Amino acid sequence: HLKIDESISNRKAREELIDDLEEILKRESEATGRRLYMAGSPPVAAYVTKQTFRDVLTYLPFTFVLVVGSMFLIFRNYYLTVIPFVAVLVSVIWTMALLTLLTGEINLVTILIPTTIFVIGTSDCVHILANYQDSVYKADSRRDAIERTVRISAIPRLLTSLTTMVGFGSMVINDIIPIKQLGVFSAVGIAFAYLFGVTLIPILLSYLRHLHLMEFRTKENPIPGRLRPVLLRLAETAMARWKIVLAASVVLLFVTYAGVRQLYVDTDPANWFGKESALKKSLNWVNGNIAGSGVFYISIEMAEGHSVTDPSVLRSIQSLEASLEAMPHVGRVLTIADVIKQLIFTVNIVEEGTFAIPEEKGGVAQLLLLASLSDDVGFLEEFVDPDHRSTVLTIIFD
């Protein structure tokens, strides 16, 4: 049983440590001819984090291409496609730079921030460009069109950005630090997206001198390109057959609801990976041959003036332990009562299984004091705090 030092909190350092352990196990397996397995929460966390970062870095470019391609189909103009992308990209860079500067790293949760800013910022920029296209044939000059665009889009975009920022900012009350960081820096990124949207986009539009006003839509052709006939046909069909559209929407709603009810929360790490995953094979072997790799913790805290080392409390913990071990899929439960019984076995040198919790509280205190004198690795702290007011039950699942 190995425990990673809590001082190794950096994600990259933990991943490198797990990689080194995997390499050691591989060499030992080849040298001894025995298959060695590694399981537990540290390798699972390292593998999930590594795969998540790899997936984000792989699929994020495809997301950019999809969004940029969609914008080109909407505006039918290369400049109006690239300009909002530049504004949003600057917002993402500023946000992630600030995140790294203040927190020191990007974790499994905050890696979602670039995608969040990109999607929300792009949708806001589309409104600005739509307003600009609308202002082109209503204004007398390019300058007037840009001023009109800023005037009619700044306040609505400010209100939508503020409401979105408040939604993400509400995560600040969460006790989980990565989720709190996700909320705070997503709100900051949305603020940057608004700032660059109402400043950088108009500036870039003003420098495109060679772009003629006639390249944009006009009153006679408000929807350029091939989208016009398609959208008109959809609108005519929806209006002519509104009963069918409404009935189909209701049916789709019930089908979606039925699908949502099939969702369930799966907390078994062995089901998170593919069948050929080396980690999945290790987890399955450990679950099938040893106590299991899934761990759950129960914390018990006593009231003021009471102690978990009281014999009556320890016997209650023993009873709870027996009840938990009788549950399906529970392999083993480790408690402070087990520690006390093991200490009795060690000190008194009696036959294992023939001893019981001491009747006197002083006897328990003496055992813990004796154990603490030789506890150089903090083993007792895994089960009980120094004041003996709280304890932790460790449940290992099959």
Side-chain angles (χ1 to χ4, degrees):
H1 175 75
L2 299 178
K3 180 182 177 182
I4 297 181
D5 194 327
E6 295 181 358
S7 62
I8 307 177
S9 59
N10 182 271
R11 173 187 61 83
K12 189 66 175 178
R14 282 178 170 259
E15 290 181 3
E16 292 176 352
L17 176 59
I18 296 299
D19 291 340
D20 292 341
L21 289 175
E22 287 182 343
E23 186 62 29
I24 293 173
L25 292 180
K26 182 179 179 180
R27 290 200 305 265
E28 290 296 322
S29 298
E30 294 174 351
T32 61
R34 297 179 178 180
R35 176 66 187 276
L36 301 178
Y37 297 90
M38 179 169 60
S41 56
V44 170
Y47 187 87
V48 170
T49 303
K50 185 186 300 183
Q51 286 297 116
T52 301
F53 273 80
R54 184 181 303 170
D55 291 344
V56 170
L57 295 177
T58 301
Y59 294 111
L60 191 58
F62 291 99
T63 304
F64 288 164
V65 172
L66 179 62
V67 173
V68 172
S70 301
M71 293 188 65
F72 178 76
L73 291 177
I74 294 173
F75 296 107
R76 310 294 293 183
N77 185 282
Y78 293 106
Y79 298 106
L80 297 187
T81 300
V82 174
I83 287 176
F85 178 76
V86 171
V88 175
L89 184 61
V90 172
S91 303
V92 171
I93 293 174
W94 277 40
T95 304
M96 300 310 292
L98 184 63
L99 169 66
T100 307
L101 179 65
L102 297 180
T103 66
E105 67 171 357
I106 300 173
N107 55 49
L108 185 62
V109 177
T110 55
I111 190 63
L112 302 175
I113 293 177
T115 305
T116 302
I117 299 174
F118 187 79
V119 172
I120 296 176
T122 302
S123 63
D124 285 345
C125 291
V126 168
H127 291 290
I128 295 178
L129 296 179
N131 289 331
Y132 180 65
Q133 283 190 313
D134 183 68
S135 300
V136 162
Y137 62 81
K138 293 182 179 180
D140 297 329
S141 64
R142 179 184 299 276
R143 180 185 179 89
D144 292 338
I146 294 176
E147 290 178 352
R148 183 179 185 276
T149 299
V150 175
R151 186 169 59 252
I152 64 178
S153 63
I155 299 301
R157 276 206 65 219
L158 175 62
L159 295 178
T160 57
S161 297
L162 286 176
T163 54
T164 309
M165 290 169 60
V166 170
F168 279 103
S170 63
M171 296 183 184
V172 73
I173 64 175
N174 197 295
D175 292 333
I176 303 176
I177 294 179
I179 295 180
K180 182 183 298 186
Q181 293 174 345
L182 173 65
V184 172
F185 287 98
S186 293
V188 171
I190 294 170
F192 284 147
Y194 171 79
L195 175 64
F196 291 117
V198 296
T199 57
L200 185 58
I201 291 180
I203 292 174
L204 293 176
L205 288 174
S206 67
Y207 276 96
L208 297 179
R209 300 295 182 184
H210 61 285
L211 195 60
H212 298 292
L213 296 180
M214 293 303 295
E215 292 186 33
F216 300 104
R217 67 182 185 177
T218 62
K219 292 181 179 180
E220 291 73 22
N221 185 27
I223 306 177
R226 299 178 180 178
L227 287 178
R228 176 184 175 87
V230 175
L231 295 178
L232 289 177
R233 179 67 62 84
L234 288 175
E236 292 172 356
T237 303
M239 293 177 65
R241 302 181 180 181
W242 64 270
K243 292 183 180 180
I244 297 178
V245 174
L246 181 60
S249 301
V250 173
V251 172
L252 183 61
L253 177 63
F254 280 103
V255 171
T256 304
Y257 175 73
V260 170
R261 289 181 59 86
Q262 300 300 317
L263 295 175
Y264 65 95
V265 178
D266 188 357
T267 57
D268 184 4
N271 296 329
W272 298 352
F273 314 108
K275 295 181 179 180
E276 300 303 319
S277 170
L279 182 57
K280 181 180 179 67
K281 293 178 180 179
S282 296
L283 293 173
N284 287 337
W285 190 92
V286 172
N287 290 337
N289 295 274
I290 312 180
S293 61
V295 181
F296 185 80
Y297 300 97
I298 297 178
S299 177
I300 299 176
E301 185 171 350
M302 305 299 295
E304 187 71 33
H306 297 271
S307 172
V308 295
T309 59
D310 188 282
S312 61
V313 176
L314 292 174
R315 282 189 284 270
S316 298
I317 293 176
Q318 268 189 300
S319 177
L320 175 59
E321 178 182 347
S323 300
L324 292 172
E325 290 183 340
M327 294 182 177
H329 306 298
V330 175
R332 181 71 191 276
V333 180
L334 304 177
T335 69
I336 182 62
D338 296 319
V339 176
I340 298 298
K341 290 190 293 184
Q342 184 62 35
L343 289 175
I344 295 174
F345 171 74
T346 303
V347 174
N348 295 339
I349 317 181
V350 298
E351 183 180 353
E352 188 172 7
T354 63
F355 50 84
I357 298 296
E359 295 293 335
E360 298 294 333
K361 184 177 180 180
V364 176
Q366 290 177 1
L367 287 172
L368 290 177
L369 176 61
L370 182 63
S372 64
L373 295 177
S374 58
D375 184 16
D376 298 330
V377 296
F379 174 76
L380 288 177
E381 294 180 1
E382 297 290 328
F383 296 90
V384 63
D385 71 324
D387 296 330
H388 299 168
R389 281 193 56 196
S390 63
T391 184
V392 174
L393 282 68
T394 303
I395 305 174
I396 304 176
F397 294 98
D398 289 334

